[in-house]
Amino acid sequence: METPQTGLSLPKYLQEEELTEECKDKTLPTILTCQKNFQAQDSDIFLATTPKSGTTWLKAIGFALVNRRKYPDPINHPLVTNNPHALVRYLELEPRIDYQADNTSTTTASPRLIATHLPFVSLPESVKNSACKLVYLCRNPKDNFVSVWQFANKVRTKEMGTNPLEETFDKFCRGVNVYEPFWDHALGYWKESLENPQGFLFLKYDDMKEHPEIHLRRIAEFIGCPLSLEEESRGVVDDILNLCSFDTLSNLEVNKSGKLSSGHDTNVFFRRGEVGDWKNHLTP
Ligand code: A3P
């Protein structure tokens, strides 16, 4: 199927009329530009997620880990004054994809830390062909769905009213989402993590919530900056987890009343941050 404005080919499961104008006019063309032009570097670290699976948390942890020697003081840390989405940008949402390594900038210092919601099949070829590292985070689909639904309601204008739960559920199950069906997304990265464990680390939000310290150490090791014995004895793991926790981040002024350059209020990225909230909204 081709959209008249953009000439984009759409997968069969997507009905053209279900795509928003913003998606047709902005998101999909930007993704195509990124696929064509983005040049990966072997030192790049990608953080890939489905929307509402804990991206904000993973961005905070990734940023804190990679920059822990540069910003050892949790009180004067960039995460205290910046929302994690301002520090780690999305590959496919940047209008200009230049990500030049720049050690003076928090967002583009080398190694570059870059987020993406793209499914594996849609990553730029240069990413697939490089030796970069990719950490994937997914979440149990029921909590993921509830979070998507709640987020969609928060960002709608008052005049638009609330999205009916049944309709949003039907779309989620059919994969009517700019980043593809849930299972295709998760399984695409799962398969890569089995075939190339050096390049892909597959994580689950639910496991991270249960044993955050184990998974923080796994991420550090995987991206090539394992915690030293000296750091372990100084309690760096707990310091990073505290700084990046839901309670700390959601109570910072920047995340209570800030705005991102995308226009989103920063508080929309923090709701409950729990496992099993689906039980409050869905029948088994
Ligand atoms: P809920 O809506 O279930 O509360 P994303 O960051 O991908 O947009 O996902 C948002 C979800 O992650 C929301 O889940 C949000 O509350 C939760 N979240 C945000 N920051 C978090 C953190 N530091 N730790 C754990 N969960 C967090």
Side-chain angles (χ1 to χ4, degrees), residues 1-4 6-14 16 19 28 32 35 122:
M1 184 194 300
E2 291 220 325
T3 67
T6 61
L8 291 166
S9 292
L10 297 176
K12 277 199 221 84
Y13 62 84
L14 274 183
E16 191 185 331
L19 292 181
L28 289 174
L32 286 185
Q35 286 177 335
S122 305

Side-chain angles (χ1 to χ4, degrees), residues 210-250:
E210 198 174 356
H211 294 297
E213 64 299 329
I214 294 180
H215 296 288
L216 183 93
R217 290 191 183 96
R218 283 182 74 201
I219 297 172
E221 185 114 356
F222 173 76
I223 62 179
C225 57
L227 288 126
S228 66
L229 285 177
E230 186 269 331
E231 285 179 311
E232 288 283 4
S233 64
R234 267 197 296 121
V236 170
V237 170
D238 283 346
D239 287 350
I240 293 180
L241 288 175
N242 285 336
L243 175 66
C244 301
S245 71
F246 181 87
D247 285 348
T248 304
L249 292 184
S250 62

Side-chain angles (χ1 to χ4, degrees), residues 52-57 139 147 205 244 246 269 271-273:
K52 304 295 125 200
S53 63
T55 319
T56 315
W57 191 21
R139 188 175 190 186
S147 192
Y205 178 92
C244 301
F246 181 87
F269 297 98
R271 197 179 60 91
R272 299 188 65 161

Side-chain angles (χ1 to χ4, degrees), residues 49-58 60 85 90 117 139 143-144 146-148 150-151 154 205 209 244-247 249-250 268-274 277:
T49 52
T50 48
K52 304 295 125 200
S53 63
T55 319
T56 315
W57 191 21
L58 184 64
H85 293 284
Y90 286 106
H117 283 324
R139 188 175 190 186
D143 281 337
N144 201 147
V146 167
S147 192
V148 165
Q150 298 275 2
F151 180 81
K154 272 197 209 165
Y205 178 92
K209 286 289 285 188
C244 301
S245 71
F246 181 87
D247 285 348
L249 292 184
S250 62
V268 297
F269 297 98
F270 304 92
R271 197 179 60 91
R272 299 188 65 161
E274 287 167 8
D277 183 42

Side-chain angles (χ1 to χ4, degrees), residues 189-201:
Y189 284 104
W190 171 247
K191 194 166 153 271
E192 287 309 310
S193 74
L194 296 181
E195 285 170 9
N196 176 9
Q198 302 302 318
F200 293 81
L201 177 67

